[in-house]
Each structure stands twice: as structure tokens, then as C-alpha cells.
Amino acid sequence: MAVADAFPRLFSPLTLGPVELPGRIVSTAHQTGLVERHLPTGALAAYHAERARGGAALIVLEATAVHPSGLLTPHTLGGYLPEIVDGYRRLAQAVRPHGARLGVQLFHGGREQIASPPRAPALAPSAVPSPRFRVEPRALRPAEIEELIAGYALAARHAAAGGLDAVEVSAAHRYLIEQFLDPSLNRRTDAWAEGAAFLRAVLRAVREAAPGLALGVRVSADSPAAAAIAAIAEAEGAHFLSAALGESSSYLGSAMIVPPPPVAEDAIADRARALPHTLPLIATSRVVDVAAAERLLATGVADAVGMTRALIADPELPAKARTGREAEIVRCIGCNVCIAHYHAGTPIACAVSPRSGRELELPRAAAAARRLRVAVVGAGPAGLAAAAEAGALGHEVVVLERAERPGGQMALALAAPGGSGIARGLLDRFRAVDVRLGVQATAAVVAGLDPDAVVLCSGARPYEPPLALDSAGVDAVQAWDVLAGARIAGRRIVVADWGGDPSGLDAAELLATRGHDVTLAIASAAAGEGVHQYRRNLYLQRLYRAGATILHHVELRRAGPGEVVLGNVFAPELETALPADVLVLALGRVPADGLRAELDALRLPVEEAGDCLGPRSLEEAILEGTLAARRLA
Ligand SMILES: Cc1cc2nc3c(=O)[nH]c(=O)nc-3n(C[C@H](O)[C@H](O)[C@H](O)COP(=O)(O)O)c2cc1C
């Protein structure tokens, strides 16, 4: 079979009104943070050029405000600014030579606002507070509604003047347009009480302002308003629908906007199938596998696929699939580092692909001038990344790992319902790295390899608190040991979780699903403060459903016969004694950096990466492992 025949639909053209796409893989709108003063930067052009070069057929630029009141964050593009026309031209110049088409998403958040102070007053159909970002909007005045519609038209004119191919109106995620369509949020009594009126007016204004552009409408396929939005889009002459999931205003709904594992990879399929529509449909959410993408097209569920995180993780995904290099695709693992950066107000990044978002700073790996023999100590994410990068640079690499399996903390996460999908993805990402397992890397062992350089990635170990434990009728065990498979005897479990890394959540969930009576005692202000909010929301959903009891604001004080004593972190004089058979500790990590001094004695160049320098997350481990390999010379 010829290579291109493997995916006959993914690489066939698709017509969206006046525009023909060269293929059917779409990079849907996503905020990058590569924006300054509400205008595109050179970094944004480089970012999208990379995805165009890699074969994306259509790139839809991030949610772009149609009015100053619609700026979701300080890094939102301002589609109403005249200067954006030049910005669009530069983006089009960067993308077009590769054959990709370029569109922009026209956006207003209404009562959804992530902006940091000083914030503009939030405007919405009616004054209904929004819980997730705790925004208290005021009802739009009729003249302001007209002004917003004019803003959509102005932004569409700018898109046309900037040489774009398409505009996509966001009617998704319970942002402004959907707020008009939601009777619980639109309590108006004027002409705009009819929910559809605003979307209709917007689409008419946009179509008139930019008649030559393909006009799309983004819709959340799981919204009660989805069918109505699809019908209005069609009636108003739109050319395509872009179906996503989720809604911004609630904890649970927001988690589906960028759903992490264990949300199934075909999460969008049923919703897209159930959406009545005749317009060409782009279906997006958790599509990471090219064969699955081809199936969505072959079964008629969609006409094109949005593979947004998949293209963040590997901009070359389409080109690799098309040329039979599917095995080389770096798959998105769903860790949501990308969206975590957005919520933190920092430029986009990807845990598995450090170059994403750093296209201007970090060149592609080129062969090293001299082939070195490199010893990597530790096969956690940092070590695996260092080894993969060193191998790509042409070095000869030996990786030593003390455990019987690679992955470090990711190998532990394999056991956890909330971590296994990400962990499997991570191990798959580095499946080509050859690791010598079960080898304790002493300085003598390393010296025996006769390396030119060493990359030390010895990771972390759990923090052990200076408490009198174990002896007093309660078994104390580290969360890591629970995940590693330690046998837990006893029904009543207290997990003392400091609220940082996910090991406490993972251990609690694992034990609760096995029928133990679990109390998760959290010392931080909120659960999972070190875990991105979408993952955290789903952790909490599963923990409650598994019957775990969650206690907030309590730290471990001591353990006595059959009990664990917790103290309130805000009112320290308040103590609670819980009956317990087993105490599980998730109280942070410390670096496992003991080998460094010994290695120094060998007088070899030593680079370090990841948690042995200071325990942090997967993102830093892979970034530092990659950069450490690049420093070898
Ligand atoms: C960092 C980031 C920012 C996003 N910003 C937007 C946005 O501006 N507008 C929008 O409609 N969707 C936005 N999304 C949602 C994506 O378009 C897409 O629907 C979602 O990521 C699920 O698809 P995926 O699994 O292919 O990533 C964003 C997603 C990410 C990861």
C-alpha cells in the first residue's frame, strides 16, 4: 500500500465555502500567550509557521477579542485594533508558503474573564455571577450590544484586510454568544431576550464585513444550545462548524474544554454524531492518533479533525503520517501543561516537546560536532529526555536505572487511575530509549563505562517527616510505596497530603477504588494546588465518587495507637483525631542528589537535570534533560 493511501481522507482537500483546504487536519484556536499589547509577536508567527510547515491544513488563530471588553486575559489578541491588520499579514506570510490556510477566531467572553487587575467591568446579557473565575458582570445596555456587533464586523474587516482565509465566530464554551442563548443567563426583557437574535446579528454583520472569507461557527457539542447554534449557523450562511466540548463557567464543564486523560480519546465522537448539522464539521477534543482521526472521517462523524494539543506536541504530525513516519510522531500525552501555561499567563509550552512555544529560541537538534560516549544516570523523565536528545545529536548513550522499569515517578503513576494515561503516553514517547535496568549507578559503575560526559538525572525521593510514627499501632507508608504496589493491610486509611504533587491524590484514589475507607487530609488551601485545575477537577470528581472523605486545611501532627492526629493549619489549636489503621504520607519530595559529589571526583563533565536539582514537574524534567544533552560538547 502506498504511504499516502494509509490516510486517504486526512490528506484529501476540503472545501469550506470560498476556501479550499489542502487536507483535513486543523489546528483549532488556542491561546498561546505569544501576544504583546494585544498584538501578534514574531514568536507567534514562528509558532504557527512550524505547524504549517508540518502539514496542518487550516490554522485558526486564538480567541481574538472583538471589543476591549472581550479581552479574556492581558495576552488576548485585540481584533478591533487597526494595528492587527499588519500582524495578520505577517502571520499569513509565515503560514501560507507551506500551503496552510489561516483563520482567526472572533471572540467575546461576556461574563467569563480571566484577566488580572485592573479588570474592565465584565459585560453579559444579564447580571448573573460566574462561579469559576468569580466574575460579577453587569447587563449589557442595548447600545452596547449594537457596539459589540459592530466590533465583530470591524474585527472581520481587519481579518479580510490582513489577508486571512477564514473567520470563526466562537459560540462555544458558554462565552458571550452562548450566554445569550442560555435562558438561565439571559433574563432580558428587550429585543435581545430572544437568545438567537444576537448570534444571528453577529453572523450577518460578519458575513457582510468579510464576504470573501470562509465563515465558521464554533460550538460546544455537549451544550444544550448546540443544535440551535448549528441551525442558526446554517441559516445565516456559515460555511463550517467547529465542534469542541466543555464550558468555561464551572469546574467540571471547564475540564472538558481541554480534557485530560482518563477522558477517552473518542470523547468528541458521540457528541459530534448527535449534533444535527449539514455544514462541514471540524471535530476536536482528545484526537491524538492519526488512525483514529482517519476513522472519524471515514465513519462520517466529521469532515475534518482538530488535533490541537496533538499539533502542540508534534507540529510535524501530519507530514509524518503522510510520509509513512507515523512511528516518529511525538504523541500528546494530555498532561495539559499547554493550558496550564495559559492559565498562568505565560507563553505556551509542551511537556513532551520543549521546542513548542520556543521556536525562536531553541533550534531543531542538529548533529553534534563530536560523537561522545554519554552516561545518563536515571531513567525518569529527565534521564529519558536527556538520552533521547543525546541520541538525536548523534552521541552514544548508556542509561542506567536502579529500578526494574523505566519512568521514575511516571512509572509509579502508571498504577493510578488519574496518572496512568499520562504515564503510558510518556513512556511511549521515549520507548526508543534503551535503558539498563536494575543497575545501581555508583561512581565506580559510571567510571566503568568510560564516558566522556555524565548526565545526572537521579530524581527525587519522598520527604520523611521528623515524626514518631509506625511504632504506635498505625502503619506508616509513603504514597510512592502504595503506588509501587505495597500491600496495605487495614481498612481505615488516612492520606496526609501536603497538596503539591499528585502522589497523595493518586494513592487516595487507588485505595478508595480498592474498597478501603479513605480520608484524604489536605494541608493546603485547596486540593491539588500543584496539579493543573482541569486534572484536579477530575481527580476530585473521581475521589468523591469512589467514596473518599476529603478533609481540608489539616496537617499531620502525630500518630498514636489506632489513630492519626491532624491539626488545623489556620487555627493551629484545633486538633482532630481520626481512627486509622494505615497512614499514607504524601508530604513532598527531596532531591536524590547523593551521587553528584562522587561523580565530581571522577573529573568528568557532569550535567544535571530534573528533580535531582530540585523536585518539580514533568515539564521541567524533560526541558532540563533536553537542554542538558544539548550542552554536551
Ligand atoms: C492552550 C490552549 C488554549 C486554548 N484556547 C482556545 C481558544 O482560544 N478558543 C477556543 O475555542 N478553544 C481554545 N482551546 C481549546 C482547543 O481549541 C481544543 O478545542 C481543545 O484543546 C481540545 O482539543 P485537543 O484535544 O485537540 O487539544 C484551547 C486549548 C488549549 C490547549
Side-chain angles (χ1 to χ4, degrees), residues 191-227:
W192 302 106
E194 196 225 336
F198 186 69
L199 175 57
R200 275 202 300 266
V202 165
L203 292 179
R204 280 174 202 168
V206 169
R207 212 182 50 212
E208 275 168 31
L213 302 195
L215 170 60
V217 175
R218 194 151 220 228
V219 55
S220 287
D222 51 350
S223 158

Side-chain angles (χ1 to χ4, degrees), residues 26-32 47 61-64 72 105 107 168 170 172-173 175 218 242-245 256-259 283-288 306-312 332 336-343 348-349 534:
V26 178
S27 172
T28 61
H30 59 289
Q31 308 247 3
T32 58
Y47 174 83
L61 296 172
E62 56 203 88
T64 295
L72 195 61
Q105 183 178 77
F107 174 87
E168 174 186 275
S170 171
H173 302 138
Y175 293 126
R218 194 151 220 228
S242 169
L245 294 175
M256 292 308 286
I257 298 179
V258 190
T284 308
S285 288
R286 287 284 283 137
V287 183
V288 289
M307 298 184 75
T308 297
R309 280 172 294 173
L311 294 172
I312 296 174
C332 167
N336 275 6
V337 159
C338 47
I339 189 78
H341 272 249
Y342 168 59
H343 286 133
I348 193 161
Y534 294 170

Side-chain angles (χ1 to χ4, degrees), residues 34 41-47 50 355-363:
L34 303 172
T41 59
L44 185 65
Y47 174 83
E50 193 74 6
R355 214 173 154 254
S356 290
R358 294 188 180 87
E359 285 77 11
L360 290 181
E361 314 151 33
L362 200 59

Side-chain angles (χ1 to χ4, degrees), residues 159-173:
L164 303 193
D165 301 293
V167 283
E168 174 186 275
V169 170
S170 171
H173 302 138

